[in-house]
Amino acid sequence: MKITFLGKYGGYPGKESATSAFLLESAEFHLLVDCGSGVLSKVQSYVDLQDLDACILSHYHHDHIADVGCLQYAMLVENKLGKRIEPFPIYGHKRDSKFDELTHDVYTEGREISVDQSITIGPFNISFCETTHPVYCLAMKIQANRKTILYTADTEWKDDLIPFAKNADILISEASIYKDQFGIVKGHLTGEEAGKLAKQAGVKQLFLTHLPHYGDQEKLVEEAKDVYSGPVQLVYPGLEIDVK
Ligand SMILES: [Zn+2]
């Protein structure tokens, strides 16, 4: 299983960058995880759009879905060019009417994800945990080839994430805020809390994403390392991880 990070920012993309998202590859299947601003452009550096197999969305905040409309137009063009016959699947939860917009004519098809059921998308088995965020949002446990990636999506601290993330090989955690903003900014984790989750869940490696545009992002790594002794790093566009 290979992870390619496409963007690292929360809220909006930085200059020539993208919001937090990544591409997963296994057995020649390509799954795009979240699709915010800048992501559609970035992903084409790593896969031809005609080889992209599916997209999954954690929630419907703009920084996770801004490029979905353009992705749908891309699939329309691919269809018209005869490069794609089946509708492109876009997975998302149904707790919001935004789900209905995931289907665009015959070009894309919305498919439901829910906490009640794990699903199989290509080689990936994925299960979900509701996070604590201003809108309904799902963390994802993604498994393939006996390896586990845990993606927190957007959340503030929630104890349920500890058993959900237990012993994951890779924890991709949001770290939207610095420790001194704890209690001021709701719905997100500090670097320290990401580290605490990594430690308490016993994960092997921690990657921080959904980063702030201000301050020294390396401080988030330091905060995490204060509580977690495993490897910690910030993600950046183009960072590739082979999960073996
Ligand atoms: Zn959000």
Side-chain angles (χ1 to χ4, degrees), residues 29-74:
F29 191 96
H30 300 84
L31 174 65
L32 176 60
V33 183
D34 279 337
C35 192
S37 185
V39 171
L40 186 62
S41 172
K42 286 282 173 197
V43 76
Q44 293 175 73
S45 296
Y46 308 101
V47 62
D48 286 339
L49 289 179
Q50 69 183 86
D51 295 325
L52 193 60
D53 294 289
C55 174
I56 188 167
L57 304 170
S58 58
H59 67 303
Y60 302 128
H61 270 157
H62 294 301
D63 51 340
H64 296 257
I65 60 163
D67 275 1
V68 168
C70 289
L71 175 66
Q72 291 174 320
Y73 290 160

Side-chain angles (χ1 to χ4, degrees), residues 59 61 63-64 133 135 154 188 210:
H59 67 303
H61 270 157
D63 51 340
H64 296 257
H133 197 56
V135 300
D154 286 13
H188 292 290
H210 206 278

